[in-house]
Amino acid sequence: KQEVTQIPAALSVPEGENLVLNCSFTDSAIYNLQWFRQDPGKGLTSLLLIQSSQREQTSGRLNASLDKSSGRSTLYIAASQPGDSATYLCAISGGGADGLTFGKGTHLIIQP
Amino acid sequence: NAGVTQTPKFQVLKTGQSMTLQCAQDMNHEYMSWYRQDPGMGLRLIHYSVGAGITDQGEVPNGYNVSRSTTEDFPLRLLSAAPSQTSVYFCASSYSAGAKNSPLHFGNGTRLTVT
């Protein structure tokens, strides 16, 4: 069974810093990997989706990488802002309809 | 675009009561699903549907029923509420479960408390 781990569970950094969030998974036979953002009391917003054949995806200040052989993905946030404060979740699709396997998230606080 | 709409946003039930959580999407997505989110447990799949008339069980289906009579709607029914069903429930949809480039879109959730 796929297991997804996100480290650290919480992170607090000053505004303007570049930072990296980590996601590791146990089964390299993945279909795609998604990074989501969740604000308090809200649903999840898809930030980036990396297909299994891809190595990275970029959107604005966000860059996500995928290394299937090592079972790792990273989400890089450049020039962090207080508005980036949220919980970030990593999720893996195995290709079936039986849903995504989620990590428990990294709670990120950007200090003004 | 409304995206994925869930109602109600909050609900308090007494043990043994039944209710339906509503979910509607306006993106013509084939795939719809229900998750529950609990502290320390993360998100877990309850039921899913790959199209109108087709539903299947996820990881934690006990105590819940679903139906998919239209592409747009995917209601979740709690048959006899129990305190263990206290959670935040999310409905999510995507264009296709089988497409590699098909991100999952979430509603804003229903926070359910069972006393």
Side-chain angles (χ1 to χ4, degrees):
Chain A
K1 179 184 174 184
Q2 179 74 270
E3 293 183 6
V4 180
T5 303
Q6 291 186 247
I7 294 173
L11 181 64
S12 180
V13 301
E15 178 178 6
E17 284 200 4
N18 302 324
L19 58 99
V20 174
L21 307 181
N22 296 295
C23 171
S24 62
F25 47 94
T26 55
D27 186 349
S28 62
I30 71 170
Y31 207 57
N32 62 45
L33 181 147
Q34 293 182 59
W35 281 94
F36 292 89
R37 168 186 174 137
Q38 185 175 25
D39 294 288
K42 298 291 187 181
L44 283 69
T45 300
S46 182
L47 297 173
L48 290 165
L49 182 151
I50 310 178
Q51 298 178 45
S52 60
S53 59
Q54 298 174 325
R55 293 293 298 238
E56 64 178 342
Q57 283 287 341
T58 297
S59 175
R61 295 183 292 107
L62 305 179
N63 176 277
S65 68
L66 174 64
D67 183 343
K68 285 196 307 178
S69 62
S70 67
R72 291 187 175 185
S73 175
T74 62
L75 179 66
Y76 175 82
I77 301 176
S80 59
Q81 303 170 358
D84 295 330
S85 298
T87 297
Y88 291 81
L89 295 107
C90 163
I92 302 276
S93 171
D98 55 347
L100 305 181
T101 301
F102 283 84
K104 293 180 181 176
T106 294
H107 180 54
L108 176 65
I109 296 174
I110 307 298
Q111 306 155 10
Chain B
N1 281 341
V4 179
T5 302
Q6 290 185 238
T7 57
K9 292 185 178 180
F10 302 94
Q11 183 70 49
V12 179
L13 291 178
K14 294 187 177 180
T15 298
Q17 288 184 319
S18 63
M19 77 159 296
T20 299
L21 280 63
Q22 301 292 343
C23 174
Q25 53 90 10
D26 62 358
M27 297 173 283
N28 201 31
H29 284 171
E30 291 184 349
Y31 181 80
M32 296 186 75
S33 56
W34 278 100
Y35 287 84
R36 60 178 289 175
Q37 186 176 37
D38 302 289
M41 300 292 292
L43 283 126
R44 293 178 291 169
L45 183 68
I46 304 171
H47 284 285
Y48 63 91
S49 168
V50 297
I54 305 169
T55 63
D56 210 340
Q57 297 180 351
E59 181 184 355
V60 288
N62 292 341
Y64 309 94
N65 272 355
V66 291
S67 60
R68 184 96 180 269
S69 56
T70 67
T71 299
E72 296 78 19
D73 300 298
F74 191 44
L76 178 72
R77 280 181 286 277
L78 279 70
L79 308 174
S80 177
S84 61
Q85 294 179 304
T86 294
S87 186
V88 181
Y89 291 86
F90 289 102
C91 179
S93 72
S94 67
Y95 175 73
S96 168
K100 280 192 173 182
N101 192 27
S102 185
L104 203 57
H105 297 261
F106 280 80
N108 280 332
T110 295
R111 186 175 296 274
L112 176 69
T113 302
V114 183
T115 61

